[in-house]
Amino acid sequence: MRADPEKLEKPPSAASAIEPLIAARIEAEGPISVADFMDMALGHPEHGYYISRPSVGAEGDFVTAPEISQMFGEMIGAWLVDAWMQMGQPETVRLVELGPGRGTLMTDILRAAGSWPAFRAAVSLHLIETSPRLRQAQFEALKDYHPTWHDVLAEVPADAPCLIVANEFLDALPIHQFEKAGGRWMERRVAHDKAAGRFFFTLAQPGFDVAGVMPPNFLAAPDGSVFEISPATLTIAEQICARVEQGGAALLIDYGHVEPSLGDTLQAVSRHAYADPLAEPGLRDITAHVDFGTIKVLSQPRARVHGPVGQGAFLASLGIAARAEQLRARATDKQKKDILSALHRLTAASEMGALFKVMALTPLAGRLNVSGFGEEQK
Ligand code: SAH
């Protein structure tokens, strides 16, 4: 997600339809976990953010890498074709995207892959998407490729190897937060102030054994420290590993950290500005940083883990600078400037180049030398 922090938060454009539903739940059950709050605010079948809002793109709330430039999807397309070749060019490959947004990334991937007709012929396209609104946008963008939609990865037929790609998908999955207070790890929960009509954080006894899920060196962290965990992300990572074990490869791109770390990363973006994550539920995107470190540790017994590396280094090693020059050669002056500026946004450390990470998973056997992760992988 890219928000422009310079921009001021704009006034709400509509009332939050889910606010009273969350408030009623808190009234009945007491304060709820951050994960339950995210789950309702983002995924509620009628009023959840992803169901009801035009989230991605210039008219939406945030802009993602594929929406910045076609070069992003072209590089990912080349990566996937290369992985497929190294897999021995299977006759059928299930190309799976998790959370495809408006379908822009997949459109660019498949257009770039047009240079490899055998790959295109092998591809059967599967999109994992819960939002009917975004499914419709994906249908418009990708109907020529005859995609099949699923609610979960497990629904994709397991009769052929998979190539899985996910850009800014994991950051949308619910997290639990814990905070050290008075020398003890407590769970952060969301309460509701009826009189003021707003949600706020409160601390409660954790619903499960925090020490059991936390790296031991965090146990003694000082008061005020925040620890996050996303069981939903770990479940998806487990499902991805299962597919990779059957012969396949996965490419995960998101903002997050390489090592498990402490800190509150819950954030909301509305109309391109950072916003209070508890205000206007259902009208704002709520995300958290992805803990690539834990995904790596949990995946390693089942899959070969490549990276994570910074998005800038990944795209550079796939040749994005040369692609930018190629596009600039036949562009107008204005387009030339835009291409350079997109290249900068995607790769510069001060933009998306360092905070965004790329990680790949390939089978333990077979040693695929997937590209983009530096020589030490070879
Ligand atoms: N990958 C796109 C969009 C990122 S936004 C891009 O880079 O532009 C996150 C996407 O994940 C949206 O399409 C959203 O509807 C989808 N999504 C969020 N939670 C989901 C879930 N639990 N299952 C399936 N899709 C989900």
Side-chain angles (χ1 to χ4, degrees), residues 287-361:
T287 61
H289 284 201
V290 174
D291 178 3
F292 282 105
T294 300
I295 298 178
K296 181 171 184 163
V297 169
L298 293 182
S299 303
Q300 261 163 343
R302 304 182 63 183
R304 189 157 166 240
V305 179
H306 309 258
V309 296
Q311 176 174 298
F314 178 77
L315 294 174
S317 89
L318 293 178
I320 194 168
R323 179 61 180 146
E325 277 319 303
Q326 206 180 30
L327 289 171
R328 274 163 56 82
R330 45 182 179 173
T332 63
D333 283 349
K334 158 91 174 72
Q335 289 168 333
K336 280 192 174 116
K337 260 178 84 180
D338 290 348
I339 293 164
L340 269 196
S341 134
L343 180 66
H344 182 74
R345 282 182 78 182
L346 292 174
T347 60
S350 57
E351 297 274 339
M352 302 174 84
L355 176 59
F356 281 72
K357 309 285 187 304
V358 186
M359 175 189 261
L361 301 174

Side-chain angles (χ1 to χ4, degrees), residues 50 56 62 64 66-67 97 99-101 128-131 134 138 151 167-169 172-173:
Y50 284 120
V56 194
F62 56 90
T64 56
E67 302 288 337
E97 183 171 1
I128 314 300
E129 176 60 66
T130 43
S131 155
L134 287 172
Q138 292 154 19
D151 284 332
N167 183 60
E168 289 209 41
F169 167 73
L173 300 177

